Amino acid sequence: MEKKKNFLLGKGEALTRVVTKKNGPSDKNPAYSFSSAKERITNKLRNACTYLDNLESTALPDDKVIASIVIHPRFISKTDFPKELLNEVGFITVGGTSKYVKPEQWGIEKHPDGAVTDTLFVSTTRKALRGLAEKINGWQPDSDAHLQLQAIEDLTIPTGESKVKGPESNNTSGLFEVVLHSGANPSVLNSFYNFLDHLNVEPIKQKVRFSSGITFVPVRGTNISLEQVGTFTYVRAVRRMPTLRTFKPSAIRTLYSENIALPDELVLDNEVRVAIFDGGIPQGSPLLKWVNCYEGDGVGNATAPLLHHGESVTSAILFGHISSTDNIPMPYSKVDHIRVIDDATGLDGDFEFYDVLDRILNHLDGVEKPYHFVNFSLGPDMSVEDDEINRWTFELDLRFAKKDILAAVAVGNTGELDSELKLNRIQPPADGVNVLSVGACDSLDSAWSRASYSSIGPGRTPGIAKPDGVSFGGTTQQPFGVVSSYANGISGVEGTSFSTPFALRTCIGARALIGEDISPLGIRALLIHHSDSGDHKSQEVGWGRFISDPEVLLACEDDEVTILYEGLLPLSKYLRAPIPLPESVLTGNVQVKATLAIAPEVDPAFAHAYTRAGLEVVFRPDTTKVAEDKSEDYSNTDTFFSTGKIYNKSELQLRQDGHKWEPCLKASKTKRGSSLVKPCFDLYYHNRDEGRADKEARPMPYALLVTLKAPRVKNLYSLVLQAYAEILLPLEPRTQVRIPITTA
């Protein structure tokens, strides 16, 4: 008789309760004395006015300017936001970014040489800046607004040179993208057009795009100075117009050129909705049985390479990696394939960067029934920028900030490019905080590495842990097998274009197997939770290699148990999530592993505060141990999640509270079984709006996975299930599906 399998335990949220959060004292010794702060800021204001006086008058629309305020690294918490100061001087925050600084003073004895801090972009006028330089001289330390001067490290007007992204700056020609700050109203935009006219630069007005208050203006010119374009005070960034990625060779070789027998079955679950945005499906493709084909708005002609790419991506979603024609598995669901790329894709100087995104957004926004899963094996051909958020990234993040959709994005195939210039870094929109960013590994076997072509991390902070993980994507020696109309059989391909749908197929399978008992957000957290990085560097493989078999993803060994909690994180309070244990004391060592994920709203104008929600987790291994001066709800704590467990500090300078704003946390810790007494995690979500505390925040959807593994307790799973039989629910597959074991 076959042994009964153990599966993930759901309904962990039924164990949770709300606990009031107590905040500690927040008084800080200022970095600068009040008199010193007044003198410093007054001098900086005068220097800013001198710079503005040297600009062309047309660079200041109605005398308006955008100033840059650098916050001292010790005062970047949301409670330290200088709201009172900004209100008193009439500054309006329109954006922000992160910056590495070495402060003149720290106000404390022990400190690093430098740190990452916040830079605020504020709207004001040249006249107001002149008046403020005189006004500050009369200030006294008698209000919060005045005292907040002590938290300001720098105040400048960004130069045109500082706004140019990339190596080009002067005497360059072609098509470029100019990004205008939030608050660029029609009057400012018309002033910018007049400014460009004086520079003999043509704005492409019909292609101007507006989103989340930011304006994107394509411009064209010959022998122009991008630095001079950047002197217009409302310009935030100038860059050469990105193109879309070109794909790796469509096929490495034909693996099987014979009539293949695809499954007779239709799909496991007709209710699961899946979308693929790609290059289309060839007419007569054997995949059309499972595919609904759509054309994106205004899409041009298809090409054979793009159709082959689209067919290959679709095959990977439907069947995974085909290593043999003898046992091709049935698809978990049907898919919608939306053709959004055409014969203009990848051409220098085209508008496909805009047009393809428009097609994607129009389809997503216009579909009657929302999708559960979406695949993107395409994107801009550029590395992620730390100080700016690509429009592809934030437009998708805005739409995927919910628990009931999971989007998988290929990180790109630039892993072999120059690392010194960071050309091998992940490409947008894989830096999104609400997407699953997938790289490629070179094998399905126990010995594996990152595929050399797979782009590497880190991502931007927040969202630094990128890629989220890797999946098999094929290599020249071991290609990824896909159905191919052109080969009239199975072709071998390689690339993150195929590792991404392969990983997403596992997620679709998990949903098809257990239905609505787990959300797409929960599935994303589960995939990351069970990923294994081995000895590989986090910037190469993220959290690790993903499991490719959905039944294995959902399963538990006898000596381990995994519990899923899903629900809403309350405002300004802890959500206490008890970790279920057997009634008897556990013997030996116990590994506690936890993964927590949210899908936060985002604010693209504020790169440093991009996520409007962040996480704080407190681990209490023994809730019976309480310090004398604490109430019983506040037992002793132990470290668990930390910045160092996301990325080593030696690898990247992080802002001090950076880990609190990450949308996904994962860590593990080994404890003696006897030290775990009614253990729990306290979950708290921070909220902010444009860098300030957000008073209108709503409860945040979350997914938490906790695994206990106790090698000396051989029946841990059954003991926990027995103790919580009335609360926890095994998420058993509704249908046992034939899933062949694939080997590379």
Side-chain angles (χ1 to χ4, degrees), residues 686-705:
H686 301 270
N687 50 81
R688 57 186 176 183
D689 182 15
E690 299 181 356
R692 306 183 300 267
D694 183 356
K695 302 301 183 183
E696 299 179 359
R698 294 167 292 182
M700 171 63 59
Y702 76 95
L704 170 68
L705 277 303

Side-chain angles (χ1 to χ4, degrees), residues 494-514:
E494 65 172 358
T496 58
S497 285
F498 314 110
S499 64
T500 302
F502 190 30
L504 189 61
R505 182 179 190 273
T506 305
C507 301
I508 297 168
R511 179 60 178 251
L513 286 170
I514 60 177

Side-chain angles (χ1 to χ4, degrees), residues 431-450:
D431 56 328
V433 296
N434 289 325
V435 302
L436 182 75
S437 304
V438 185
C441 63
D442 61 3
S443 177
L444 285 163
D445 296 334
S446 57
W448 62 276
S449 298
R450 174 184 66 91

Side-chain angles (χ1 to χ4, degrees), residues 250 279 282 302-310 486:
S250 298
T303 68
L306 294 180
L307 289 171
H308 180 69
H309 186 271
Y486 299 97

Side-chain angles (χ1 to χ4, degrees), residues 78-92:
K78 66 174 186 176
T79 55
D80 289 322
F81 187 83
K83 180 179 180 180
E84 291 77 15
L85 172 62
L86 298 178
N87 287 342
E88 176 150 336
V89 301
F91 288 173
I92 300 173

Side-chain angles (χ1 to χ4, degrees), residues 534-587:
D535 297 326
H536 304 292
K537 295 180 180 179
S538 52
Q539 68 263 34
E540 294 201 0
V541 302
W543 298 112
R545 184 174 66 168
F546 296 137
I547 290 174
S548 59
D549 184 334
E551 282 206 41
V552 174
L553 184 69
L554 296 168
C556 296
E557 299 291 338
D558 290 342
D559 64 350
E560 69 176 10
V561 61
T562 299
I563 304 97
L564 169 68
Y565 309 71
E566 289 201 79
L568 296 174
L569 295 177
L571 290 171
S572 304
K573 295 181 179 179
Y574 278 127
L575 182 71
R576 177 152 295 172
I579 302 173
L581 295 180
E583 295 178 356
S584 57
V585 176
L586 295 177
T587 58

